Amino acid sequence: MSTLTGRTALVTGGSRGLGAAIALRLAGAGADVAITYVRDEGGAREVVAKIESMGRRGLALRADAADAGDAAGAVDRAADDLGGLDILVNNAGIGVLGPVGELTLADIDRVMAVNVRGVFLASQTAAARLRDGGRIITIGSCMAQRVPGPGGTLYATSKAALIGLNKALARELGGRRITANLVQPGPIDTDMNPADGPFADAQSALTALGRFGSADEVASLVAYLAGDDAAYITGTELSVDGGHAA
Ligand code: NDP
């Protein structure tokens, strides 16, 4: 595994779940790491304390990805406070599931604001702030590749939009050796999708491995993409889904 010593990172939505595991993995590899959160201040503080216990700088920023100013501003704040930025991990995301006819305009606006516009604005600001050789790693979903049942119109639409954004970012930033990659997790045990939830058995059955993944299993792919070993990987979608798309 490449070292990330001397690198700085921002992980959006890092107070718990996948984002927390990613932030800790990057810090474990040597990076100073900022995270954003909205509600879970206690979780954010805990993640920062763990980062600092590894001898790295940690920073918790309250920033709502649904707010345009916050989404872009968090990147500037992280870059300013950490002394530059090498890695942006667009992780913050929400899932609103339900029959297409029952989704409200407010549902549509909220999910698109967090899952698409927030990612776009953070990436746009990162394009200006990342050092050459930097990384943009975005967390999409296996639902952009295979929608296994009803109820996923809005979430799948939002995550599919990230495929185009990711490819376009790779083309635009490649000249500065900045890579952009999309990680598409399958069912991962978090608050958003607990492995003992009502739909868990059905989701496990959809994977080739017959189980949920852990946040750490996603974090290890993100850490790989963040490192020098992945310098020639860009504009692509990588699944960490237990074979959900197989
Ligand atoms: P969780 O709901 O467990 O955690 C979400 C994290 O994002 C929290 O830290 C939360 O912070 C933060 N967050 C939520 N809304 C916002 C917002 N508006 N602005 C800033 N931060 C926000 O989710 P997961 O860890 O499961 O999901 C992380 C990502 O992985 C998402 O993009 C999700 O779509 C994707 N994903 C998850 C899968 C799964 O099975 N778990 C599968 C495929 C993709 P706070 O509590 O402080 O608001």
Side-chain angles (χ1 to χ4, degrees):
M1 172 72 73
S2 319
T3 176
L4 298 178
T5 302
R7 310 274 167 87
T8 60
L10 170 65
V11 181
T12 66
S15 54
R16 53 200 168 85
L18 291 182
I22 291 165
L24 295 176
R25 186 65 72 103
L26 297 180
D32 292 335
V33 183
I35 60 170
T36 67
Y37 70 97
V38 183
R39 288 162 295 268
D40 191 359
E41 188 172 355
R45 281 178 195 275
E46 218 172 288
V47 170
V48 166
K50 285 183 185 162
I51 292 169
E52 288 174 347
S53 75
M54 296 178 211
R56 312 304 341 156
R57 280 199 62 199
L59 189 66
L61 303 170
R62 191 176 186 289
D64 184 351
D67 179 281
D70 277 13
V75 178
D76 278 328
R77 285 160 69 194
D80 289 344
D81 288 6
L82 297 177
L85 195 66
D86 300 291
I87 302 157
L88 168 66
V89 181
N90 288 307
N91 166 77
I94 54 173
V96 175
L97 304 175
V100 66
E102 292 177 15
L103 296 167
T104 65
L105 191 56
D107 291 331
I108 297 165
D109 286 347
R110 175 87 189 156
V111 170
M112 296 306 276
V114 175
N115 291 8
V116 182
R117 191 182 67 174
V119 174
F120 191 101
L121 293 171
S123 301
Q124 183 182 48
T125 307
R129 298 300 304 260
L130 282 172
R131 284 189 271 258
D132 289 358
R135 301 280 187 265
I136 299 178
I137 301 163
T138 299
I139 307 300
S141 168
C142 62
M143 292 265 288
Q145 213 172 354
R146 180 185 183 214
V147 181
T153 50
L154 181 52
Y155 186 67
T157 298
S158 71
K159 292 298 188 177
L162 301 176
I163 296 174
L165 172 60
N166 179 61
K167 288 180 193 291
L169 284 170
R171 287 287 179 189
E172 199 154 320
L173 303 177
R176 290 167 48 207
R177 293 181 293 105
I178 294 171
T179 67
N181 288 293
L182 186 62
V183 169
Q184 312 213 109
I188 308 296
D189 184 19
T190 65
D191 293 346
M192 180 191 276
N193 188 12
D196 58 0
F199 308 110
D201 288 347
Q203 291 180 73
S204 293
L206 287 165
T207 69
L209 295 177
R211 67 169 176 87
F212 267 50
S214 70
D216 275 341
E217 287 172 319
V218 178
S220 62
L221 175 57
V222 173
Y224 169 70
L225 290 170
D228 292 343
D229 286 348
Y232 199 53
I233 300 174
T234 195
T236 195
E237 298 116 46
L238 295 106
S239 295
V240 50
D241 68 353
H244 185 272

